[in-house]
Amino acid sequence: MRVHDKKEFDRQNCFGQGQANTAYAQYFIGNSYLNPLTDPKVCAVSLANVTFEPGCRNHWHIHHAKSGGGQLLICTAGSGWYQEEGKPAVSLEPGMVITIPAGVKHWHGAKADSWFSHIAVEVPGEETANEWLEPVDDASYAALESPAGEK
């Protein structure tokens, strides 16, 4: 469900917006916010609520691992996009879970007119690393929002 109004989004975003995601800002178009839900010193599984302002998206990236690894996205509020290289974009809505195996090039973020939030789960694995790649170009992103591109 698209959520334009920030107050309404905050009401729906039950895991909280968190702080500006300054550590990874260079890999995002627009502003994102990070609210860690687990402490890596206590828990082997990293969970964080990531909030995207309207139009915000991360760059293409790959979660590498010798074994295991990858990422899960648990959509919690607003409306967004997920796309794997060479495949059509998928519309993300609250309650959806996206499983991203290690080695898959992908991106995710908010729709142009909606706030969006998901819990990012870093799947444990051996020799895991994240490789950040090129930004999602504006023309490709805008095409998703056109009536013909809307999923």
Side-chain angles (χ1 to χ4, degrees):
M1 169 173 40
R2 293 180 193 241
V3 182
H4 316 285
D5 181 71
K6 181 66 165 77
K7 284 185 181 181
E8 176 59 22
F9 178 78
D10 288 342
R11 189 186 69 70
Q12 293 180 23
N13 191 11
C14 61
F15 291 97
Q17 177 174 300
Q19 302 301 311
N21 188 7
T22 56
Y24 294 93
Q26 65 186 333
Y27 305 117
F28 285 75
I29 295 171
N31 294 314
S32 67
Y33 304 87
L34 192 62
N35 188 19
L37 302 175
T38 58
D39 181 347
K41 296 175 190 159
V42 177
C43 183
V45 178
S46 172
L47 280 85
N49 192 51
V50 183
T51 297
F52 301 79
E53 71 179 4
C56 177
R57 65 232 184 236
N58 55 30
H59 292 196
W60 288 97
H61 59 287
I62 302 171
H63 302 275
H64 295 285
K66 183 176 179 183
S67 65
Q71 186 179 45
L72 299 172
L73 305 178
I74 304 168
C75 305
T76 58
S79 190
W81 293 111
Y82 167 76
Q83 186 172 23
E84 293 181 7
E85 182 177 45
K87 295 184 179 179
V90 175
S91 179
L92 299 178
E93 302 299 332
M96 293 178 70
V97 176
I98 300 292
T99 302
I100 309 163
V104 173
K105 184 177 178 181
H106 67 283
W107 69 270
H108 36 101
K111 290 189 176 170
D113 63 351
S114 181
W115 286 86
F116 176 64
S117 188
H118 65 55
I119 296 173
V121 181
E122 297 301 320
V123 177
E126 186 179 348
E127 297 181 25
T128 60
N130 194 29
E131 178 184 6
W132 289 101
L133 303 164
E134 72 276 8
V136 176
D137 67 87
D138 290 340
S140 297
Y141 180 77
L144 296 174
E145 300 293 338
S146 70
E150 177 68 35
K151 308 291 183 243

